Amino acid sequence: MNSTTRFALSASLALLAGCRVGPKYTKPAVPPPPAFKESSPEAYKDAPPGLWQPAKPEDAQLKGKWWEIFNEPELNTLEEQLDINNQNLALYFQNFMAARAVVREARSQYYPTVTTQPSYSRERTPGTLRNAVATAGSGAGTGGTGTTTVASTSGTTSTVLSLPFDVSWEPDLWGKIRNQVREDQYAAQVSAADLANERLTEQASLAEFYFQLRGQDALQDLYNQTVAADQKLLDLTKALYETGIDDEESVAQADITLKNAQEAAAGVATNRAIYEHAIATLIGKPASSFSLPIKNLSTPLPPIPVGLPSELLERRPDIAGAERTMAEANALIGVEQAAYYPSLSLSGSGGLESSLISTLFTTPALAWSVGASAAETIFDGGLRRATIDQYKAQYNADVASYKQTILTAFQQVEDYIATLRVNSDQMQREDAAIKSAQHYLDLAKARYETGVDPYLNVLDAQNTLLSDQTTQVTLRVNQMTAAVQLVQALGGGWDTSYLPAAGAINTSAAATQVQNAP
């Protein structure tokens, strides 16, 4: 093979392979801060002993089933059911499967399209149809004469067997199809990240509802104790009234206090039922057939490993989804830029046609044709340029959205670390306030029982203690929900290793990888 032939062959192969137009994708750099401000030693330098602090940076990061750090077996069981039965997760998973199918649709354009339409026909021409053949004659010195020949009246019958094939193919000369495949692959990765983000959201909601429900159980227990104490105080007030030490007004006040406590105790059931119903829906069960036993909120607040801000970029599925959305928009620009270049279409047709089955597959029955055509838009009034500008603007908007998602992630982590630190300080102060309020009530009751002070002092002390105890339960619930929100802000147990590679998005391993992600 001489050099000219080799060059021609190489040029032909390069033309068929094509080149890919469009901008090269590079992930925008977003420099993270060196550390989270709210978890730094400076933020805890004046902290009292026992104040909650994040786990040290060298501690292991959250992995897998993050809810297990709370050491709540009942919560663990519920979370396992959520991953299996939650219908929102089922919806997002099917969206991912549909996105994978779109990738296969795009890849199908790499290959020729082959169609066939076999046919069989048998036809009889009636003998009553006649063919007239005019003939003309001439004689010397005379005018011309003519005759008519009549065809046979027996009719004719014909058979046609046809087996045609049509082939068409448009080579991907400028990478339009390749960019389209890449765009759809990135879109499928976005769908996988959306599924991971939805799973984390549902898991966090379940944990929050669980601790909210246990907080209602704690309030129920508090009000039950308050009702019992108010009942004893009412009995005491009646006894003192009967002995002449107290008056009827005090009895009426004690009775009102008891009834108010009973009403508050009854009202707790409403919120508890709502949280219980919400949990049932999350784990895919009818609210009518689901219930949780009453259990007081006693879960200790665990230390939570925060890690470094740079690690957060690899652990949040919403950040991963925003980054893949940028890549998708970048590939779409390449798809549209290919419209500037001519397109080449190759087509061919062939087949077999005969009146007898015995001669259908012989050389004389073969017919074929091949052809090629090229198309190029000469003038479109600026449509292509406007379309590319539109997709460039969309890409730039996705860049801004990506950066905003990262900033929001940093903010959320800082917010919830600060919330937990301040909440822990409030809890310590509230514990001290409850001890003082209990002491105040004990003194007021003792002085009332001996007739030194009026019942109003006891009522004031009771209200103070109940208010402090209610605040303590609220702070406790807020503490646990803030812990869940911090875990969610950190990405739970997810990281980008659970995101399938673009080129492997259609493998069965990718579907398993996405489905089994934490």
Side-chain angles (χ1 to χ4, degrees):
M1 181 182 295
N2 58 39
S3 59
T4 303
T5 304
R6 284 196 298 269
F7 175 79
L9 180 60
S10 299
S12 300
L13 292 175
L15 180 63
L16 290 175
C19 59
R20 185 167 66 90
V21 299
K24 182 179 179 181
Y25 174 70
T26 303
K27 184 168 69 172
V30 183
F36 290 111
K37 178 184 68 174
E38 297 294 342
S39 65
S40 65
E42 183 69 19
Y44 288 88
K45 65 178 183 178
D46 298 324
L51 191 71
W52 178 88
Q53 296 188 37
K56 292 182 171 55
E58 60 268 18
D59 291 346
Q61 290 185 351
L62 291 165
K63 294 181 180 179
K65 301 176 181 179
W66 56 265
W67 51 85
E68 292 182 351
I69 65 171
F70 295 104
N71 198 26
E72 276 282 347
E74 196 169 28
L75 176 61
N76 297 344
T77 301
L78 293 171
E79 292 285 2
E80 296 288 348
Q81 295 179 45
L82 178 142
D83 200 43
I84 297 172
N85 299 321
N86 184 274
Q87 295 307 302
N88 285 334
L89 296 186
L91 183 152
Y92 273 79
F93 180 73
Q94 293 306 320
N95 287 344
F96 169 67
M97 298 300 287
R100 295 172 76 226
V102 172
V103 176
R104 295 199 302 273
E105 292 175 13
R107 289 179 62 87
S108 69
Q109 298 179 68
Y110 284 141
Y111 307 100
T113 300
V114 182
T115 61
T116 183
Q117 190 176 357
S119 66
Y120 167 82
S121 65
R122 185 170 177 81
E123 180 180 348
R124 182 178 185 279
T125 302
T128 54
L129 297 179
R130 302 183 178 187
N131 296 321
V133 178
T135 60
S138 61
T142 63
T145 62
T147 62
T148 301
T149 301
V150 180
S152 170
T153 59
S154 61
T156 59
T157 302
S158 62
T159 300
V160 178
L161 297 169
S162 179
L163 185 61
F165 292 94
D166 293 307
V167 181
S168 62
W169 181 47
E170 184 175 326
D172 189 26
L173 300 179
W174 315 112
K176 179 178 180 180
I177 298 175
R178 278 168 287 163
N179 277 317
Q180 185 64 60
V181 170
R182 284 182 174 86
E183 180 197 355
D184 293 335
Q185 286 174 335
Y186 300 151
Q189 287 182 305
V190 172
S191 182
D194 288 343
L195 170 60
N197 195 55
E198 179 65 18
R199 179 181 286 116
L200 178 58
T201 300
E202 301 285 344
Q203 291 168 345
S205 295
L206 175 58
E208 288 184 45
F209 292 156
Y210 177 80
F211 289 124
Q212 291 278 7
L213 182 139
R214 292 304 175 215
Q216 296 302 309
D217 289 345
L219 279 178
Q220 188 70 68
D221 181 61
L222 171 61
Y223 281 119
N224 289 344
Q225 294 180 37
T226 301
V227 168
D230 288 347
Q231 183 64 59
K232 291 181 179 179
L233 197 55
L234 175 60
D235 294 340
L236 174 62
T237 305
K238 288 180 178 179
L240 293 176
Y241 168 68
E242 291 172 356
T243 58
I245 299 176
D246 207 343
D247 54 26
E248 188 175 0
E249 182 181 0
S250 297
V251 174
Q253 289 173 335
D255 186 52
I256 292 173
T257 301
L258 173 61
K259 286 181 170 55
N260 287 338
Q262 290 172 334
E263 182 275 330
V268 173
T270 299
N271 287 337
R272 188 189 195 279
I274 291 173
Y275 289 124
E276 189 176 64
H277 300 162
I279 291 173
T281 301
L282 285 175
I283 63 174
K285 293 185 177 180
S288 303
S289 59
F290 176 79
S291 61
L292 284 172
I294 294 175
K295 178 183 174 183
N296 209 334
L297 180 61
S298 59
T299 308
L301 182 64
I304 299 173
V306 172
L308 300 173
S310 59
E311 298 168 341
L312 189 65
L313 303 183
E314 304 297 321
R315 295 177 56 190
R316 295 245 320 199
D318 57 340
I319 293 178
E323 188 275 325
R324 291 289 81 191
T325 299
M326 284 190 302
E328 179 187 356
N330 185 79
L332 184 56
I333 295 173
V335 172
E336 295 303 323
Q337 284 185 342
Y340 275 112
Y341 301 91
S343 61
L344 175 65
S345 297
L346 304 177
S347 62
S349 63
L352 303 168
E353 188 171 1
S354 175
S355 60
L356 298 174
I357 189 65
S358 60
T359 59
L360 181 63
F361 296 98
T362 61
T363 301
L366 176 65
W368 58 267
S369 69
V370 294
S373 64
E376 168 68 350
T377 301
I378 298 175
F379 178 75
D380 63 2
L383 175 62
R384 286 172 295 181
R385 169 53 56 192
T387 303
I388 291 175
D389 288 345
Q390 172 192 349
Y391 289 124
K392 284 182 177 179
Q394 182 59 57
Y395 171 78
N396 291 331
D398 290 335
V399 172
S401 177
Y402 170 68
K403 293 180 178 180
Q404 183 62 37
T405 301
I406 293 175
L407 291 174
T408 301
F410 291 150
Q411 176 194 346
Q412 289 175 342
V413 174
E414 296 281 12
D415 286 349
Y416 295 127
I417 295 174
T419 298
L420 285 172
R421 186 184 70 248
V422 174
N423 178 276
S424 181
D425 184 42
Q426 287 180 291
M427 287 285 294
Q428 289 186 342
R429 297 176 187 276
E430 193 60 45
D431 289 343
I434 288 176
K435 290 179 181 178
S436 297
Q438 184 64 60
H439 182 61
Y440 173 38
L441 177 59
D442 293 340
L443 290 176
K445 287 173 65 177
R447 293 173 66 84
Y448 172 65
E449 291 172 4
T450 57
V452 176
D453 287 338
Y455 175 75
L456 286 177
N457 289 14
V458 177
L459 180 60
D460 181 65
Q462 274 185 314
N463 291 336
T464 300
L465 177 61
L466 180 59
S467 175
D468 286 338
Q469 289 174 325
T470 304
T471 300
Q472 184 188 50
V473 172
T474 301
L475 288 172
R476 189 79 178 87
V477 172
N478 291 345
Q479 187 181 63
M480 298 310 298
T481 55
V484 172
Q485 290 164 343
L486 174 58
V487 172
Q488 182 180 6
L490 293 169
W494 191 88
D495 61 57
T496 51
S497 66
Y498 291 101
L499 192 67
I505 201 73
N506 283 111
T507 63
S508 57
T512 302
Q513 182 180 0
V514 169
Q515 196 167 26
N516 295 336

